[in-house]
Amino acid sequence: MVPDVPQAALPPTTDINEAADLLEGLEVLREELGSIADELIELLRQAGVTPPQDHSSSAH
C-alpha cells in the first residue's frame, strides 16, 4: 500500500516551466534511465506537470 503523501503546492510559473522541461527530458531518456525515470515521470504528472508545448508551432 502506498502511503498518503501530501501534495506540494504548485510552484511559481518559472518552476513549472523548469519542471515541464525536466519531464520532457525524462520522457526522452526513459529507456536509458530505467524505472527511476518512470517513477519521476509519474510523480511529475500527478503534480499536474505537463511537457512544454512544441516550440516550433508557436514561432509562426
Side-chain angles (χ1 to χ4, degrees), residues 7 9-10 14-15 17 19 22 25 28 32 35 37 40 45 49 56:
Q7 296 294 319
L10 289 176
T14 302
D15 292 340
N17 291 336
L22 174 62
V28 169
E32 293 177 40
S35 63
L40 291 171
R45 289 195 176 274
V49 177
S56 63

Side-chain angles (χ1 to χ4, degrees), residues 9 22 25 32 39 41 43 53-55 57:
L22 174 62
E32 293 177 40
E39 292 177 32
I41 289 168
L43 289 172
Q53 299 297 319
D54 182 7
H55 300 292
S57 63

Side-chain angles (χ1 to χ4, degrees), residues 5-49:
V5 177
Q7 296 294 319
L10 289 176
T13 305
T14 302
D15 292 340
I16 291 174
N17 291 336
E18 290 174 4
D21 289 340
L22 174 62
L23 176 60
E24 183 179 44
L26 286 170
E27 289 178 340
V28 169
L29 296 172
R30 177 181 259 159
E31 284 187 33
E32 293 177 40
L33 297 174
S35 63
I36 190 70
D38 290 330
E39 292 177 32
L40 291 171
I41 289 168
E42 183 179 342
L43 289 172
L44 287 168
R45 289 195 176 274
Q46 286 176 358
V49 177

